[in-house]
Amino acid sequence: MKIRVNSIRYNGSTVDGPGIRTVVFLQGCNMHCKGCHNPSTWDPLGGIEYDTEELIEELRHNSINKKITISGGEPLIQIEAVNDLLTRLDNFDVCLYTGMEYEDVPYPILSKLRCIKCGSYHEELKCSNIPFIGSSNQSFVFLNGGAARVE
């Protein structure tokens, strides 16, 4: 299965979910939020095309602590490929950043995550005092065995 990737950051992010994380920025976004810090991800034909197995092998080899955040763009534009990744990265701590609302994220995706950031970015609601979100309308949810805790 093919997946388009804008970039992969192995520099150990501490702002894209709990712990020190590798961040995979997927390509393509239909939201185009005002003030977006990743407009280079908007073009669905940009970035680099990977086979999901190739990307999984790269992440297994280069993500030292097995903590990954999948971001974008809007990662769920490539929902089938994201589901394939999540299914095959079963020994990873995975966080997903999506502009979708929590209740709109399909259960097969939620069931494979440790945490999720939900909600589109609103520049007028920008905040820096709540961990892991960019605007106050967004929520960060820890998923523990099907139970969710919103932070």
Side-chain angles (χ1 to χ4, degrees):
M1 179 167 292
K2 300 297 183 186
I3 190 166
R4 294 199 77 82
V5 176
N6 177 272
S7 62
I8 304 172
R9 306 260 169 84
Y10 294 105
N11 60 345
S13 172
T14 58
V15 298
D16 295 296
I20 300 170
R21 309 185 76 80
T22 295
V23 184
V24 180
F25 294 94
L26 296 185
Q27 193 68 36
C29 185
N30 57 0
M31 295 185 179
H32 302 181
C33 300
K34 182 181 176 188
C36 173
H37 74 280
N38 268 342
S40 68
T41 64
W42 291 359
D43 179 2
L45 301 176
I48 300 168
E49 186 176 77
Y50 283 80
D51 185 80
T52 52
E53 183 58 38
E54 177 187 10
L55 180 57
I56 289 163
E57 287 306 312
E58 181 173 330
L59 293 171
R60 284 186 179 139
H61 181 72
N62 294 311
S63 180
I64 303 166
N65 66 359
K66 309 291 187 238
K67 292 184 180 201
I68 293 178
T69 295
I70 300 172
S71 190
E74 173 48 60
L76 294 182
I77 284 179
Q78 301 185 69
I79 195 165
E80 294 87 7
V82 168
N83 190 50
D84 187 44
L85 270 179
L86 295 174
T87 299
R88 295 159 86 195
L89 288 173
D90 59 347
N91 60 339
F92 279 70
D93 174 327
V94 182
C95 182
L96 178 73
Y97 272 46
T98 179
M100 292 176 67
E101 296 302 322
Y102 179 82
E103 57 273 6
D104 296 326
V105 179
Y107 179 76
I109 298 291
L110 290 172
S111 69
K112 297 173 182 101
L113 300 172
R114 174 169 180 229
C115 48
I116 186 169
K117 189 280 304 170
C118 300
S120 60
Y121 176 73
H122 294 274
E123 187 174 48
E124 68 277 7
L125 299 175
K126 182 178 180 176
C127 70
S128 60
N129 59 340
I130 302 173
F132 313 132
I133 65 168
S135 58
S136 60
N137 64 295
Q138 296 174 321
S139 60
F140 192 83
V141 182
F142 287 91
L143 302 159
N144 300 316
R149 186 178 88 237
V150 179
E151 300 260 321

